Amino acid sequence: MRTLGQANLGLFAAVTLITSGCLTIRPYDPGPGKRVAAIVPQDTYLSGESVNVTISNLSDVTLYYPDGFCKTALQRRDGTEWMTLPNPPTRCPVVLGFLDPGQTVVHQYRLPKGVTGGIYRLTIPMPQPEVATAPEPELLTPTFKVASSLAQ
């Protein structure tokens, strides 16, 4: 049976470890492919419409991205393969951006006019963590349909 003195000694040892810095609490980092999530609010879009992608940092790690989400690419499913459509030339900002722990941003991507109907997704180069176990792979949105009219 433990005495009150032994219990207090254990508590004292834990407090001493925490205050002396021997016990380090690391920020929550679920690792590559799990730090960030993306959603699109609709299942179907018309060509030329904007897709608002909600991007959330699920970790306690600050992520930085040198080009914002400027290099987002549109991919169309062709059978079992994903084909990347050519992007019109754009100038990416030179400013370094950050996605803070728990932060959510909405990135707007305008679908090209005249894009054919089908199943699509967006691929976004991911920001890199300031301190993390490994780099983040590119982020893929859930799939969505592009139709020439909503009646289809």
Side-chain angles (χ1 to χ4, degrees):
M1 185 163 145
R2 291 177 57 166
T3 65
L4 185 57
Q6 289 174 322
N8 286 338
L9 184 60
L11 177 62
F12 176 74
V15 169
T16 303
L17 282 173
I18 291 170
T19 58
S20 68
C22 292
L23 181 63
T24 305
I25 299 174
R26 293 185 176 169
Y28 174 69
D29 180 8
K34 298 177 185 172
R35 292 183 186 116
V36 183
I39 60 169
V40 292
Q42 296 173 210
D43 293 331
T44 304
Y45 294 89
L46 297 174
S47 65
E49 269 191 313
S50 289
V51 178
N52 291 324
V53 182
T54 301
I55 302 166
S56 299
N57 182 349
L58 305 176
S59 74
D60 290 337
V61 177
T62 298
L63 303 173
Y64 66 92
Y65 45 97
D67 298 323
F69 297 108
C70 181
K71 298 194 185 224
T72 299
L74 181 64
Q75 294 183 331
R76 182 179 63 236
R77 188 165 59 199
D78 185 9
T80 59
E81 301 288 317
W82 287 98
M83 308 302 289
T84 301
L85 280 67
N87 273 338
T90 58
R91 296 184 74 174
C92 292
V94 182
V95 214
L96 183 65
F98 292 91
L99 191 58
D100 291 325
Q103 182 180 10
T104 296
V105 296
V106 176
H107 167 58
Q108 189 175 72
Y109 180 88
R110 181 162 301 277
L111 294 169
K113 289 186 180 187
V115 71
T116 60
I119 303 297
Y120 289 83
R121 70 182 182 190
L122 295 170
T123 178
I124 304 167
M126 279 315 305
Q128 296 304 309
E130 287 183 318
V131 177
T133 55
E136 191 68 37
E138 65 186 359
L139 179 65
L140 300 173
T141 67
T143 60
F144 54 89
K145 182 179 176 185
V146 173
S148 55
S149 74
L150 289 178
Q152 288 185 342

